[in-house]
Amino acid sequence: MSTWEHVKRADEAVAGSRPVWAWLGQAALVVLGTHLACDSLDDQVLWLLHQLPLQWQSPDAAAVPAAWTAVVLELTVAAWIVTRLWAALPHPLASWDHIKRTVSLRSVVLTLFWVPIVLGGAWVIAMAIEDALAGFLPWWLGAGLGWTAAGLVLWRLGGTGLRRVLSGPRPRSRLAGLWVAPILLGLAALAVRELPIWGWYVAWFGGSP
């Protein structure tokens, strides 16, 4: 067998495994975004616990259950959406036209969750690259490389990931799985809150958003 044939077979093997590699990237992106959204979740839970008619031994006593609630919720949601991505792998990737024709409450909830979560995940990647290059490159070049990488991740993984998760197996009923909708939408709101758009708003227009 010639060298060219070896290279061709290796390329075919990589191409055949592309859905799995894409899934790994999509899963990592949504896990990063979920972690970002849950960064302030313990503070929100702590505030809620202090509103309940409970007697705490000290003002900080509620911090432990608040932190554990945030951790468990983060892991549960991350595992749930990654499982949804995995379950969708054997199914053909639906076109945007098909997704629009078959819109449902479930697909709307998934979209409203997915968009801010992957934006948050991409922002984490951009900040990580900028911080890693801070000691070697001018800040503007490190920031440019970070945001370029984030844009490429969104382009290659964000949109296709949404199509993938919306192409998964259909629930048996229209209400199946919607118990998680309030949690997903709540985390989506937290992700929006963590995005840098508010800092940009203040920098450009002044005042508070």
Side-chain angles (χ1 to χ4, degrees):
M1 185 180 295
S2 67
T3 303
W4 170 247
E5 289 175 333
H6 281 296
V7 171
K8 185 177 179 181
R9 286 196 174 187
D11 179 70
E12 290 173 350
V14 171
S17 64
R18 188 171 298 154
V20 176
W21 291 109
W23 175 84
L24 287 172
Q26 292 157 0
L29 184 61
V30 77
V31 167
L32 284 175
T34 303
H35 178 69
L36 177 70
C38 290
D39 245 3
S40 61
L41 183 58
D42 55 342
D43 293 332
Q44 310 300 323
V45 176
L46 182 61
W47 177 87
L48 182 61
L49 290 176
H50 281 154
Q51 309 312 306
L52 299 176
L54 299 173
Q55 296 295 326
W56 301 101
Q57 293 180 350
S58 69
D60 298 331
V64 173
W68 275 107
T69 300
V71 169
V72 170
L73 194 60
E74 176 182 347
L75 293 176
T76 301
V77 171
W80 184 86
I81 193 65
V82 168
T83 302
R84 294 296 311 169
L85 277 170
W86 182 260
L89 266 182
H91 296 260
L93 196 62
S95 66
W96 289 118
D97 287 337
H98 175 76
I99 291 172
K100 286 188 290 186
R101 289 197 306 269
T102 58
V103 66
S104 64
L105 181 59
R106 170 180 167 274
S107 64
V108 170
V109 169
L110 281 173
T111 302
L112 291 176
F113 167 77
W114 184 271
V115 172
I117 287 295
V118 299
L119 286 174
W123 182 52
V124 171
I125 292 172
M127 293 299 100
I129 293 175
E130 183 178 347
D131 291 343
L133 298 177
F136 308 97
L137 299 174
W139 71 267
W140 56 268
L141 184 54
L145 290 173
W147 284 108
T148 299
L152 290 173
V153 166
L154 284 175
W155 175 51
R156 297 297 297 174
L157 299 175
T160 54
L162 178 58
R163 286 175 60 194
R164 174 63 63 194
V165 79
L166 294 178
S167 303
R170 296 293 174 185
R172 295 181 180 179
S173 71
R174 293 183 178 180
L175 298 179
L178 286 182
W179 61 270
V180 78
I183 299 174
L184 295 182
L185 295 178
L187 287 187
L190 288 176
V192 170
R193 182 182 176 184
E194 294 294 331
L195 292 176
I197 53 176
W198 309 117
W200 297 340
Y201 181 95
V202 173
W204 291 340
F205 301 106
S208 58

